[in-house]
Structure formats: C-alpha cells, structure tokens
Amino acid sequence: MKTDLTTPQGIFGMPQHLTVPIYQRPYVWTQEDQWAPLWGDIRRLTEHRMDNPGSNATHFLGAVVTQDAPTGPVGMQEFQIVDGQQRLTTLQLALDATAAAFAARDLHALAARLNFLTHNDSNFVGDGETALKLRHTNRDRSAFDEVMVAEPPVDHATLSHRSSLLTQAHEYFASHVGAWLDSDPDTLSARADALAISLQTALQLVVIRLTSDEDSQEIFETLNARGTPLTAADLIKNFVFQRLKAEGKDTTEAYRSWPFETKFWEAEVSVGRFPTTRSALFLGQWLISRVGKEVSPRSTFARFKFFTEHETDHTMSELLELITAQAATYQKLTERAADAHADLNRLELHVYRMSVAQVEITKPVVLWLTEPGNPYGPGTIAGVVDAVESWIVRRRLLRLQNGDLGRVAAELISAARGASDEDVVDKVQRHLTRQQSTSTYWPGDEELTETLRSVPFYRRFPQPMQRVLLQAIEDWYRGYTQIGPSKTGIRMHRDKNQVEHLLPRAWQSHWPVSDAAAEADRDEHVHRLGNLTLITGSLNASVSNGPWLGEDGKRAAIHRHDVFLMNRAIVDSSADGWDERRIDERTEEMITAVAATWPVPQGHEGKTIDRSSRLSKATASYSDVIAAGLLEVGATLQCTDGRWPDARGTLLAGGRMLYEGKTYESPAGAAREVRGGKSGNAWYFWRVEGGPVINDLREELLRLPS
C-alpha cells in the first residue's frame, strides 16, 4: 500500500484508465450537498490566490483509494476505484465543464490543459475505446460518456441523458464557471488562468494505492467504519488544539476554555434535513458572521480551516478567546429566550421568535452584532433586528420560499460590516429593500394586508406560530412596537396560552344563518385572523361552542379570562353580538398591529422583478427567435465548424430543420447527425448563410424589452 498527497495534476496527469467497478453504487452527489460547496471552495481559493499572487493556499478534497488492476492494455495503466468514485467523478465533471467554458470563450490553450486531465491522448486509445480517463461500468456509463465527449459549448438540454445527475452536475459547473468568468470581462484571461491553476495544482487529495493482491475490502471497511461520525465541532476542536500546540500554548490550560463540553452544546438539533450538534451549528453560524458568506453544514470544517489559514490575522489563541466569548453570549440568549416569564430585551425576543419559527439563518447576524469590540448600542442592535425580523416574518406570513434567505443574510453581514453605529441600520435596510426576486424580496404593506384579510390563518400556520403572532398583537395593544402608542405595563409572558376561535368552529348549533351563501361566508371567516384570540385557559366545549351573549355566553366567559388587552377590546366592541362584519373589522385592526410590529422603511413597496416571465438562454427556443422576426422560415443554415464546411440545411416552421432530405425536430438534431451522433451546442454550430451565428440572434432576442 502506498499513500500520497497529490493534486488533480498528479492523479490524472498520466495516460490511464480509472475504472468504477460495476458493483459500486451509482452517482448520487447533488447540487445542494456537494456541487455548490465544491464550486464555492474552488472559486474562493482562486480569488484568494488572485488577490495574493504569492499565496500557495490549497484546499483538501479528501481521500480516495485505488487498486492496481491485474491486467491492462499495453502502455496503459489501469486502476480500480475502491473508494472515492463520487469525488473523482465530480472532479472530472468540473474539469471538463471548465474546459468547455474556456473553449466557448476561445481560451483553447487553457481548455487543452484541462482536457489533458480528463482525456487520454489518441496514441493510447484503441479502436472503439473511449478516450476518457475515468470509466464507469455501471448504469452511469452512458450518461457520463455522453456529457464528457460532447463538443463544447455543450447544449445540455439536448442530451439524451439530460435528467441524469451526471449531466446536471456538468451543467451546474459549466454555468457557474461561465458566469464567474464573465463577471469581469476586463480580467477574463487572468481569471481563467488562475482558475486553471487552482484546478490543476491547488486542490489536494490523499491517494491510497493498493497493489493487486492487497485486501481492498478491509481497507474500504476501515475507511467507512460504522462508528459515530465526527461532527464539524469535533474536527474543528482537533484542528484548534493542534494549532495551539504549534503556537507553543499550554493545551491543557486552553482546554479549560473550550466551551462545548456540556449538555447544552452536545444537544442534537436539525438544520433542514441535516441533524447536527448545537456546537457544530454554532461554529458554522459564527463562521458566517465572520466571512459574510453562506457556509453549508457539510463544509463547516473545511471553511473554518481556510478562514484561519488565509482570511484572518488572529492567532488561534485569539480566535479561541473570541469563540469562547461569543459562545457564552449565544448560550445566554438561547436560555433567556426559552424562559417564558423573563422580561426579554429586543435581541432576546428575536431569538425567541426565530426559535418558534425554526429559523436559524438570522443567528449569524446576531453573532455579528454582538461581536466583542463592535460599537453598536442596544438601540442600534434593535434597529437591525427589527429590519431582519420584519423581512423574515412578512415572508413567512405570505408563505414564500426561504431557500435563498441564508445567502442574503450572510451577504447582509458583508455589506454592513464596519459601518458606524449611526449608519449600520440604514445599510441593513437598504440591503433588504434592494432584494427584488420572488425568492428574497421584503414584502410591503399592501401585499401583507391583502393576504391577511382573507387567509385561513388558523389552518395555515401551526399553533406555536399563531401564538407568536397573537402575542405580538397583544404587545401592540400594550404599546410595544416602533410606531404604536406609548408603552403600557410589560410585554405578555410567552406561556402556551390557548388559541381560541371567537366564532366557534362548530357554529351551526347556536350561530345559525339564513341560507347557503351565508353558511359559506361564515365557514370562510371562522379561521381568519380577526376571529382568533389568546386566553389563559381553555373554555369548556359547551361555552366555547355556545352562544355569544348572555350571562353564560362566550362573551362573558372571555371577559372572565380578561388578562389581555386584546380581549378587553373584543368585549367592548361586541355587546350586541359577534359576526362576520366584526371579524373583518378586527382583522383590519390586527393587520395594523402586525404591520406596526414588523414595519418596512417608509416608501418601501416590496415590488419584485418577475424574471421567470423573461426568456433566458436556458428557456429560449429556435421558434422564439423565429417568432421575434430575427430568423426567417426557409433560411439556409450553414455549419460553422471547419470540419464540415459543406453542411447546410433549411429552417422550417416551428424551429424544425431539413437536412439532406430528412426533417429534424430542431437544428440540434441536425447538428448531432452532422457530428456522427455526438452532442454539442447547436446555437453555435449553425449560422445563417452569409449572416450571423444563430446564438447571436438568441442574444439579440434576450435583449429585447419584455
């Protein structure tokens, strides 16, 4: 057995076949869990080396195990991949997709350097064999081979295996690399060269190479032991104390400062689908608060290591001091927020509300605001929290998607870091008001009002969230908002009070109406916001479903529970009954309370730009170009590739194409026929005879006003 620390240049740099055995599981890596973190690491490493030309920063990708094949073709080494085929496959896809992005921008020399790592030279390829260095033998073979041999620029939508994760991974890397390269046209060449160097030499892998007679199964089981896996906190702890030892610190003494050895920090929590410990979650959130960029739970350790080595001037002992101080603040905030009877300050109240809503993405903002040495006073911190919480709560009340909010919250920290106490609230508000996509915008009062007027609030939200909203409305009656009346008393306690329907759900016995239309209207009103309140104890069923008026009626019972100002207002306004009109009136008043509790800056409307209605490169079709009058039916399309100078076809209605007497559904199908069955990007393959490449016409289409 031989173990080497190497790079893609080292592992892929020679003529070889790396074979994925047929019995190994198919490719399962995904964008969220692996592709995006890998691209983020590659991009960050490249940008760091560009900003620091003398830097030798590297990024460790993990370990792979290969085994010499018993036999192989003459002049070609062959290795079986024992462990790490997901990692090696993804790396090959990223290299090939980047090479395709280079080729599309006429950076052919750089593309060739990366192609050298994915394709064997023709001198080592036998007849009928694939030139690919990595070979799948299971069901992934067709999809992998198709996308890896497709000629650039690759039109992924036309590939027969376009739904395969392998094709999607290739497209992900191609699109993100392309967008990054194009983000600054003036530095395209320098960016591409730096990216190529990072991919070739700055990524590191440990390669364990077994001889053909060694027991690969024993090695595999050792590497994938069934013991409890290490968390990010475990890995960071080990790294921290190794660095402290290298700094000459007394690690025994330093260990007494390590805060994460208690039940509080060892408790298991969930972030999305990922269970983790609270300590690992905190360390990821602390890291986001420092770097101002999103960090996935899976990449916390690698990102922490990179931060300490390349992005901070603090020693490890100084970082440990900061982490320890902020961990104590974090624990105090968490425990205070969980105390139902504590008189919470604004920051503690925010932690409580987000805990009920199961929202963790604002914790990095909290950690940033409470960093030791930050100049922000309580009023400023409250102003930032007011804006962030309003953004979150309004989106939650409108049931908008939240998958992209973590990125925005992280970027908010980056945008506002370093701002003065006088300016930071304004910077945060501007960052949030500039969000205009449906996945991130800050809803305005008009949309909030229209939604809450008729939404079946009781059915739409779980009871903990109903209580949070009703508690906030009670606090509004007591004057605890930014724009409400002066304060009266204290905030209500956060007990698990009963959510009660004023007009009962079983209204038919004692609340009759005249006809079917009135019945439908009553059914629509029963779960609306204005029909809900909080009481300190449940009413028995006969009272809860009984009539409104009378000594034993529901109004009198609510009056007996009258410890909340919202209930006093109900009793005062309903002496002659409770019906749909009063529900509507109370709903309007409660909407006013919600908008005042979670306000938006003056003049903010919460408008969005509907990008989904606009065409993009991914959605524009040949028929769209025809419909726009940019391409005429009957036009002759001529091949742009010098290998087939005589290839010509005729464009037909609907974007079809006639080539050598056969009709194809699109120019892509005809291009595949010209190439002998190989896929490629037909937008670049054809031009109008004597005119532009059809991709130029697509670009013109995309520039047209919507």
Side-chain angles (χ1 to χ4, degrees):
M1 180 172 66
K2 181 181 178 182
T3 302
D4 289 312
L5 179 65
T6 188
T7 63
Q9 186 79 48
I11 192 172
F12 299 132
M14 62 181 180
Q16 62 184 301
H17 282 152
L18 284 159
T19 303
V20 180
I22 195 168
Y23 53 80
Q24 288 203 8
R25 66 174 177 170
Y27 186 73
V28 296
W29 279 18
T30 62
Q31 174 178 331
E32 180 181 359
D33 296 343
Q34 287 91 19
W35 312 338
L38 175 59
W39 167 240
D41 292 333
I42 293 169
R43 185 191 64 228
R44 183 176 60 254
L45 182 63
T46 302
E47 291 173 349
H48 174 78
R49 289 167 72 108
M50 288 176 67
D51 294 338
N52 303 272
S55 173
N56 292 317
T58 59
H59 179 71
F60 182 61
L61 293 179
V64 298
V65 182
T66 67
Q67 186 166 36
D68 298 350
T71 59
V74 176
M76 180 81 75
Q77 288 187 286
E78 182 172 5
F79 306 96
Q80 297 278 319
I81 300 175
V82 176
D83 191 42
Q85 64 109 340
Q86 304 280 334
R87 182 172 289 106
L88 291 180
T89 297
T90 305
L91 192 52
Q92 284 279 296
L93 291 165
L95 287 165
D96 189 74
T98 304
F102 288 167
R105 291 157 180 80
D106 294 327
L107 302 169
H108 297 293
L110 289 179
R113 281 162 53 182
L114 298 189
N115 283 330
F116 176 74
L117 302 181
T118 58
H119 293 68
N120 289 309
D121 186 271
S122 59
N123 293 326
F124 295 92
V125 181
D127 292 339
E129 281 193 337
T130 177
L132 298 177
K133 292 187 175 182
L134 182 67
R135 301 188 306 173
H136 284 263
T137 59
N138 58 18
R139 69 188 190 197
D140 285 335
R141 179 175 183 174
S142 296
F144 182 75
D145 288 2
E146 180 186 36
V147 76
M148 290 290 289
V149 302
E151 295 199 16
V154 181
D155 188 354
H156 297 85
T158 65
L159 299 182
S160 56
H161 296 280
R162 55 186 171 273
S163 61
S164 166
L165 282 173
L166 293 153
T167 306
Q168 293 173 28
H170 193 281
E171 183 174 17
Y172 173 84
F173 287 112
S175 63
H176 282 72
V177 168
W180 182 79
L181 290 172
D182 295 337
S183 63
D184 185 0
D186 293 337
T187 62
L188 171 62
S189 180
R191 294 165 78 82
D193 190 62
L195 178 57
I197 292 173
S198 293
L199 288 169
Q200 289 173 281
T201 63
L203 303 177
Q204 293 185 330
L205 303 102
V206 168
V207 178
I208 303 171
R209 180 177 170 185
L210 309 178
T211 61
S212 60
D213 56 352
E214 288 184 280
D215 187 348
S216 62
Q217 182 62 27
E218 181 180 352
I219 300 295
F220 180 81
E221 290 182 358
T222 301
L223 291 170
N224 295 275
R226 292 186 175 88
T228 302
L230 295 174
T231 68
D234 296 322
L235 295 169
I236 289 173
K237 174 184 173 183
N238 185 60
F239 175 71
V240 165
F241 283 93
Q242 284 183 354
R243 289 288 299 272
L244 289 173
K245 184 177 181 180
E247 290 177 5
K249 301 299 181 183
D250 183 344
T251 54
T252 302
E253 181 65 27
Y255 186 71
R256 296 191 179 97
S257 300
W258 187 249
F260 304 118
E261 305 288 327
T262 65
K263 288 183 178 180
F264 175 85
W265 292 107
E266 292 173 349
E268 186 171 284
V269 294
S270 293
V271 182
R273 303 191 306 274
F274 304 121
T276 187
T277 60
R278 182 179 276 127
S279 57
L281 176 62
F282 163 80
L283 287 166
Q285 294 168 340
W286 179 86
L287 191 57
I288 295 170
S289 78
R290 288 281 163 170
V291 301
K293 294 180 181 178
E294 197 170 15
V295 178
S296 75
R298 297 285 180 89
S299 62
T300 297
F301 169 64
R303 191 67 180 85
F304 181 87
K305 185 172 182 288
F306 187 91
F307 168 75
T308 60
E309 292 176 341
H310 304 295
E311 296 180 294
T312 180
D313 295 328
H314 290 299
T315 65
M316 186 56 75
S317 57
E318 291 170 340
L319 287 175
L320 178 57
E321 186 177 343
L322 288 170
I323 290 170
T324 301
Q326 292 204 261
T329 300
Y330 187 99
Q331 181 170 352
K332 181 181 178 181
L333 284 171
T334 304
E335 291 174 342
R336 284 276 297 173
D339 183 348
H341 295 273
D343 185 13
L344 302 184
N345 64 30
R346 184 64 185 90
L347 193 57
E348 293 162 347
L349 181 65
H350 171 74
V351 173
Y352 160 70
R353 287 170 172 170
M354 294 300 97
S355 174
V356 174
Q358 298 182 317
V359 171
E360 291 288 339
I361 60 173
T362 67
K363 289 285 180 61
V365 177
V366 171
L367 288 167
W368 158 59
L369 290 171
T370 56
E371 280 180 16
N374 261 358
Y376 307 133
T380 299
I381 291 174
V384 172
V385 167
D386 285 338
V388 173
E389 188 175 293
S390 171
W391 172 59
I392 294 289
V393 170
R394 283 175 176 245
R395 291 187 60 85
R396 181 60 62 90
L397 291 175
L398 269 58
R399 299 185 74 184
L400 299 170
Q401 66 187 73
N402 59 12
D404 211 22
L405 302 190
R407 174 187 60 79
V408 176
E411 291 173 350
L412 179 153
I413 296 170
S414 181
R417 177 175 286 283
S420 68
D421 187 72
E422 295 78 16
D423 295 338
V424 68
V425 174
D426 185 56
K427 278 183 175 281
V428 168
Q429 289 180 343
R430 286 205 310 269
H431 181 82
L432 295 176
T433 56
R434 282 198 298 263
Q435 305 303 317
Q436 293 183 307
S437 71
T438 55
S439 64
T440 62
Y441 79 104
W442 190 359
D445 287 345
E446 182 178 347
E447 185 178 12
L448 182 74
T449 299
E450 286 301 314
T451 299
L452 292 183
R453 273 178 180 154
S454 59
V455 67
F457 192 84
Y458 185 82
R459 287 180 173 170
R460 180 160 290 187
F461 297 98
Q463 284 219 5
M465 274 300 293
Q466 294 175 32
R467 288 193 194 97
V468 163
L469 195 81
L470 292 170
Q471 288 164 2
I473 291 170
E474 172 64 20
D475 283 346
W476 176 80
Y477 279 100
R478 300 181 183 198
Y480 281 85
T481 67
Q482 295 178 48
I483 56 178
S486 59
K487 296 178 182 179
T488 303
I490 61 172
R491 289 187 186 273
M492 72 172 297
H493 292 156
R494 293 157 303 285
D495 296 307
K496 292 186 177 180
N497 304 114
Q498 183 79 18
V499 177
E500 179 70 22
H501 287 74
L502 301 173
L503 169 67
R505 284 176 286 177
W507 55 265
Q508 288 81 359
S509 299
H510 298 284
W511 303 63
V513 290
S514 58
D515 54 37
E519 288 182 5
D521 189 40
R522 179 148 291 185
D523 282 336
E524 285 185 1
H525 277 75
V526 74
H527 293 304
R528 289 185 184 175
L529 181 59
N531 194 48
L532 303 178
T533 195
L534 291 175
I535 57 175
T536 52
S538 62
L539 304 177
N540 65 53
S542 62
V543 173
S544 181
N545 296 323
W548 182 253
L549 300 175
E551 292 185 5
D552 297 323
K554 192 168 187 177
R555 178 174 177 267
I558 290 174
H559 181 66
R560 289 194 293 272
H561 284 79
D562 183 13
V563 296
F564 300 140
L565 295 184
M566 68 166 72
N567 291 335
R568 187 179 305 171
I570 292 167
V571 171
D572 290 346
S573 65
S574 61
D576 58 347
W578 187 258
D579 56 17
E580 288 78 7
R581 178 179 62 82
R582 288 179 172 82
I583 291 173
D584 287 339
E585 290 172 351
R586 184 167 180 265
T587 296
E588 293 296 324
E589 184 169 282
M590 295 173 85
I591 291 172
T592 299
V594 170
T597 302
W598 293 289
V600 293
Q602 187 173 3
H604 176 66
E605 296 180 344
K607 299 296 185 182
T608 62
I609 296 175
D610 185 9
R611 293 177 175 86
S612 63
S613 65
R614 289 188 58 85
L615 292 172
S616 66
K617 277 192 174 183
T619 60
S621 67
Y622 303 103
S623 58
D624 290 325
V625 180
I626 295 171
L630 301 172
L631 190 57
E632 294 184 359
V633 172
T636 298
L637 300 186
Q638 178 183 7
C639 179
T640 61
D641 195 312
R643 290 174 291 179
W644 301 284
D646 298 326
R648 283 174 172 76
T650 303
L651 187 68
L652 304 177
R656 293 174 297 147
M657 184 168 175
L658 179 67
Y659 174 71
E660 292 192 344
K662 183 177 178 181
T663 299
Y664 295 86
E665 286 302 309
S666 71
R672 190 181 298 112
E673 178 67 23
V674 175
R675 293 190 183 104
K678 292 184 178 180
S679 298
N681 195 326
W683 291 97
Y684 294 87
F685 190 82
W686 299 108
R687 69 166 63 250
V688 179
E689 188 172 36
V693 176
I694 57 175
N695 183 67
D696 294 341
L697 300 177
R698 177 174 62 170
E699 295 287 352
E700 186 175 347
L701 169 68
L702 298 180
R703 290 193 294 268
L704 293 175
S706 58

